[in-house]
Amino acid sequence: MRFVVRGDSMEPTLIDGDEVLVSPRAYRRRPPRVGDVVLYQHPLQGDVTAIKRVAELRPEGLWLLGDRPDSSTDSRSYGAVPLRHLRGRVLLRLPPRDPGRAR
């Protein structure tokens, strides 16, 4: 599935407006690993889907952090994220649809 990145918490890896390809089945065969970029349901705002990097694997869940900590609301604010909140793993950043927006 496709997902559009909103905000700057994952810069420089992903910037606002980037589209990524997400595999919702990625964790059926293996558990998340440190370094994976994941899509997940925000633990405090159930209607929000967010994207962060797995920083630690903890018994109570995943510790997720943005690549740009000064502008990221992440596990430092709301704690570990339960595995059931994962929606998938980011596989790749898609090329911009607007050629004038290329990095």
Side-chain angles (χ1 to χ4, degrees), residues 8 10 17 20 22 28 36-38 45-48 58 60 65 72 77 84-85 88-90 95 97-98 100:
D8 59 358
M10 287 302 292
V20 293
V22 177
R28 289 184 183 173
D36 285 356
V37 177
V38 298
Q45 300 171 4
D47 60 334
V48 173
R58 297 184 173 191
E60 69 276 13
L65 298 176
S72 181
S77 302
R84 70 180 182 276
H85 285 240
R89 181 170 63 95
V90 174
R97 291 183 186 193
D98 175 7

Side-chain angles (χ1 to χ4, degrees), residues 39-60:
L39 194 67
Y40 66 102
Q41 176 185 341
H42 193 287
L44 303 178
Q45 300 171 4
D47 60 334
V48 173
T49 302
I51 187 168
K52 300 287 184 239
R53 186 177 302 279
V54 177
E56 290 179 47
L57 306 173
R58 297 184 173 191
E60 69 276 13

Side-chain angles (χ1 to χ4, degrees), residues 3-102:
F3 180 78
V4 178
V5 176
R6 294 291 172 221
D8 59 358
S9 70
M10 287 302 292
E11 286 183 6
T13 306
L14 300 170
I15 62 172
D16 186 59
D18 276 352
E19 282 190 80
V20 293
L21 185 63
V22 177
S23 171
R25 297 179 179 168
Y27 298 118
R28 289 184 183 173
R29 295 182 188 201
R30 71 162 177 89
R33 296 178 183 157
V34 171
D36 285 356
V37 177
V38 298
L39 194 67
Y40 66 102
Q41 176 185 341
H42 193 287
L44 303 178
Q45 300 171 4
D47 60 334
V48 173
T49 302
I51 187 168
K52 300 287 184 239
R53 186 177 302 279
V54 177
E56 290 179 47
L57 306 173
R58 297 184 173 191
E60 69 276 13
L62 302 172
W63 195 257
L64 304 177
L65 298 176
D67 285 356
R68 189 172 173 193
D70 61 328
S71 66
S72 181
T73 302
D74 48 37
S75 287
R76 294 169 300 155
S77 302
Y78 44 73
V81 176
L83 286 171
R84 70 180 182 276
H85 285 240
L86 282 186
R87 298 295 174 252
R89 181 170 63 95
V90 174
L91 300 177
L92 59 94
R93 182 176 53 86
L94 298 167
R97 291 183 186 193
D98 175 7
R101 193 181 166 283

